[in-house]
Amino acid sequence: MKLLLDRISLAFIAVTSAYVGIFAYFAPRTWFDTFPGFGLRWLPQLGPYNEHFAKDVGAAYLAFTALSLMALAHTRKQAVVPLAGAALLVFNTLHFVYHLTMLHMYAPLDRALNVVLLGLLVVMSVILVIPAGAVTDRRSTSST
């Protein structure tokens, strides 16, 4: 069960990080003006466009993509997943907390999406740092 949760979490983080990273790094102005896409715009409210900042965000997210994919490829190695999880947890928690302080700048749908999506990334990062023995399969404990 833990292995499956780790794989789902790493895959989700890798995909979302790749989306942000590719978008921000290779199309920084468009990313700033239109992120997250789908008719929503979350960045212009936070301050003026800065190409250096946008490309740095893209580079960081591409690094998270690489970290997540490498951990996904090595989920059976004991130390790999918790190490990746710890790095992702630091970033995702700090990112989430910052955005909680900025919710007043958004419409209700955008507020909800920020809380749900960024909160989900924190939860998935927590899953990665939980030791494998802490998550037990109900079938193995109910038969004893």
Side-chain angles (χ1 to χ4, degrees):
M1 178 64 115
K2 171 69 166 122
L3 184 61
L4 178 62
L5 288 173
D6 288 344
R7 287 179 173 161
I8 291 168
S9 297
L10 288 165
F12 183 80
I13 292 170
V15 168
T16 57
S17 295
Y19 174 70
V20 176
I22 291 167
F23 196 3
Y25 193 82
F26 295 104
R29 183 67 209 209
T30 304
W31 170 78
F32 178 82
D33 290 339
T34 65
F35 182 82
F38 314 103
L40 303 172
R41 295 179 56 217
W42 292 352
L43 301 178
Q45 301 91 311
L46 300 175
Y49 171 72
N50 180 307
E51 183 180 6
H52 178 209
F53 170 74
K55 284 190 147 298
D56 281 356
V57 167
Y61 271 95
L62 290 171
F64 299 144
T65 303
L67 176 66
S68 299
L69 290 174
M70 286 300 294
L72 185 58
H74 298 282
T75 51
R76 292 192 183 272
K77 294 183 181 170
Q78 253 182 355
V80 172
V81 172
L83 284 171
L88 294 165
L89 181 60
V90 169
F91 174 80
N92 286 323
T93 300
L94 294 174
H95 188 213
F96 178 63
V97 169
Y98 173 78
H99 279 276
L100 288 178
T101 69
M102 295 294 136
L103 291 177
H104 65 281
M105 302 178 115
Y106 296 113
L109 174 63
D110 297 314
R111 288 179 193 157
L113 289 171
N114 266 264
V115 171
V116 169
L117 295 174
L118 295 176
L120 181 60
L121 289 167
V122 172
V123 169
M124 290 186 156
S125 300
V126 168
I127 288 168
L128 298 173
V129 298
I130 295 173
V135 178
T136 58
D137 188 336
R138 287 183 181 214
R139 289 172 285 162
S140 65
T141 57
S142 64
S143 63
T144 55

